[in-house]
Amino acid sequence: DAGVIQSPRHEVTEMGQEVTLRCKPISGHNSLFWYRQTMMRGLELLIYFNNNVPIDDSGMPEDRFSAKMPNASFSTLKIQPSEPRDSAVYFCASSTAQGNTGELFFGEGSRLTVL
Amino acid sequence: GNSVTQMEGPVTLSEEAFLTINCTYTATGYPSLFWYVQYPGEGLQLLLKATKADDKGSNKGFEATYRKETTSFHLEKGSVQVSDSAVYFCALRPNSGYSTLTFGKGTMLLVSP
């Protein structure tokens, strides 16, 4: 079975450019999460969706970041305009349950470098 | 709020040594506790979990016991291998409504032959 699929795996862009990261969750999972990983801050939850509806976006750094989930099989995280401090690995994860025993399944991540 | 504190790394061991990575947490109620592992260039994957006090999670020779009295969930393995070299994350998930994982900062383990 396919796991969580993220694209692109690597992205190098210049400051001020728009970046769009994509995620396809595992089929049948109803929760989707976007995390950011940096050396300084570790793993930070940016936003999560349940049944395509954003439940908590308090981790989104600022208005330059936006996330959408137009259907159960696709989500995007957009940064516009990008800045060097946005350089990080962005992970998408999905889950099948809201209960506290639910395991998160992570994609392989999108490594973003903003020059 | 909820938080997870892990020992800082890197932890450097020789093959077949005993491993302990400490993890303590702060949370209201009775969260579920998890250890995730991240191998180089990959995403996180679940290693083990425990959902209530005194439960022991185990997988691939790793173990961790949910200790409510000390709010801890230390990861142990009796004999590490080079292939265990990775970053290990302790995490909790509250037992209430919509909730997601709160992660510790991760502990890198380096095992040498």
Side-chain angles (χ1 to χ4, degrees), chain B residues 63-81:
Chain B
E63 293 182 340
T65 300
Y66 190 140
R67 300 287 188 201
K68 178 176 175 296
E69 63 276 13
T70 54
T71 61
S72 65
F73 193 54
H74 304 321
L75 183 68
E76 297 182 336
K77 187 175 186 182
S79 176
V80 294
Q81 305 300 311

Side-chain angles (χ1 to χ4, degrees), chain A residues 47-57 67 69:
Chain A
I47 185 170
Y48 82 96
F49 296 84
N50 185 58
N51 292 327
N52 313 337
V53 176
I55 300 299
D56 183 358
D57 65 355
M69 192 165 186

Side-chain angles (χ1 to χ4, degrees), chain A residues 9 31 33 35 37 40-43 45 48 50 55 91 95 97-109, chain B residues 30-32 34 36 38 41-46 49 51 89 93-105:
Chain A
R9 290 293 312 277
S31 296
F33 308 80
Y35 282 87
Q37 185 179 38
M40 292 295 294
R41 295 183 164 181
L43 270 168
L45 176 67
Y48 82 96
N50 185 58
I55 300 299
F91 287 102
S95 173
Q98 278 305 306
N100 64 350
T101 60
E103 174 184 353
L104 266 62
F105 294 80
F106 283 79
E108 294 187 321
Chain B
Y30 303 96
S32 285
F34 304 81
Y36 278 75
Q38 183 181 28
E42 298 183 9
L44 282 71
Q45 53 186 279
L46 180 67
K49 67 180 181 184
T51 59
F89 292 87
R93 190 169 190 180
N95 182 21
S96 59
Y98 291 117
S99 59
T100 186
L101 291 176
T102 298
F103 286 92
K105 292 198 170 184

Side-chain angles (χ1 to χ4, degrees), chain A residues 23-36:
Chain A
C23 175
K24 177 178 169 55
I26 293 173
S27 178
H29 284 189
N30 61 349
S31 296
L32 183 140
F33 308 80
W34 282 101
Y35 282 87
R36 176 171 69 177

